[in-house]
Amino acid sequence: MRKEFFKYAIPSALAMFISSLYTVIDGIFVGQGVGDSALAAVNIVLPFTVMLFGLASMFAIGGGALVSKNIGANNVEKAVNIFRQVFKALLIFSLIISIVCVVFTSQIVTVLGATEVLKPLAVDYLRFYAIFCIPNLIGIVLNSFVRNDGRPKLAMVSTISGAITNIILDYIFIFNLGMGIKGAAIATGLGQIITVSILIPHFIMKKG
């Protein structure tokens, strides 16, 4: 029992720790490569990124619990249907959030407290971050479902791979290509795409 506990607990805790570093990593590279104002702009957008993480976690934990319960009761068909409903609902929510954030970026950063000096930088960061809202949220949810499906190490590998991709692309986009704050947002989004790309075969190839 103890071995089984640590088999799930350690990879899950490590993956959660790594995913929480995404915005921190962006902040480090932006602060060093763009400047103090850009770092402040990233922090202005931070509540929005935390909200997205919370929304995705709600789907992941709630849906995951229902799926696990039904698999335990040997009701696999119902479990699969719940998974599909969660995935479809999240896809719709992600698309709506992405469109709203791209269209109303200026108003959102104003509500978040951006000053006139920080506003252009915060708008740039949020707009490009929001474009990747779908892989961002889906990556968090698929990670949870993969862990529930008996593959915690796959979830950990996908998260770490996404984070490493984010770090490498942050450096390239900000320091080599001079893309500024939007480069950090794009690097984060592409890192999430890598995470999702590693997880998707588990479901497409019916390994669980």
Side-chain angles (χ1 to χ4, degrees):
M1 181 67 73
R2 184 180 297 177
K3 184 180 177 182
E4 193 73 13
F5 171 77
F6 283 111
K7 174 187 171 184
Y8 283 87
I10 293 173
S12 300
L14 187 57
M16 185 72 74
F17 173 72
I18 295 294
S19 7
S20 68
L21 289 179
Y22 267 93
T23 307
V24 175
I25 291 167
D26 279 353
I28 292 170
F29 277 97
V30 164
Q32 294 295 321
V34 187
D36 294 344
S37 294
L39 177 57
V42 171
N43 286 324
I44 287 290
V45 179
L46 183 60
F48 174 80
T49 64
V50 172
M51 182 201 72
L52 289 184
F53 184 81
L55 178 67
S57 297
M58 180 179 70
F59 278 92
I61 295 167
L66 289 173
V67 167
S68 298
K69 175 187 172 184
N70 282 284
I71 288 175
N74 206 26
N75 194 350
V76 178
E77 186 177 346
K78 186 175 181 181
V80 171
N81 284 334
I82 291 170
F83 170 75
R84 288 173 179 164
Q85 288 170 21
V86 169
F87 192 84
K88 289 173 185 175
L90 191 65
L91 199 60
I92 293 167
F93 272 116
S94 302
L95 186 59
I96 292 170
I97 291 170
S98 190
I99 292 170
V100 168
C101 287
V102 169
V103 175
F104 300 103
T105 321
S106 182
Q107 291 87 336
I108 292 170
V109 297
T110 301
V111 171
L112 291 172
T115 62
E116 289 304 315
V117 175
L118 296 178
K119 197 170 180 179
L121 290 167
V123 165
D124 258 359
Y125 185 75
L126 178 57
R127 182 166 288 149
F128 283 93
Y129 188 96
I131 289 172
F132 297 96
C133 199
I134 292 175
N136 186 356
L137 297 187
I138 286 177
I140 294 169
V141 172
L142 289 186
N143 247 299
S144 177
F145 277 107
V146 164
R147 280 196 296 271
N148 288 349
D149 215 5
R151 300 192 70 186
K153 286 184 181 177
L154 177 63
M156 180 183 70
V157 167
S158 69
T159 304
I160 292 174
S161 300
I164 292 171
T165 302
N166 182 27
I167 292 170
I168 294 170
L169 292 180
D170 266 335
Y171 181 82
I172 293 171
F173 290 163
I174 294 173
F175 290 99
N176 291 353
L177 300 180
M179 293 174 67
I181 196 169
K182 63 177 177 285
I186 294 170
T188 298
L190 294 177
Q192 294 289 355
I193 288 174
I194 293 296
T195 296
V196 173
S197 300
I198 292 172
L199 295 173
I200 284 289
H202 173 82
F203 301 99
I204 292 178
M205 298 172 72
K206 299 183 179 179
K207 291 183 178 180

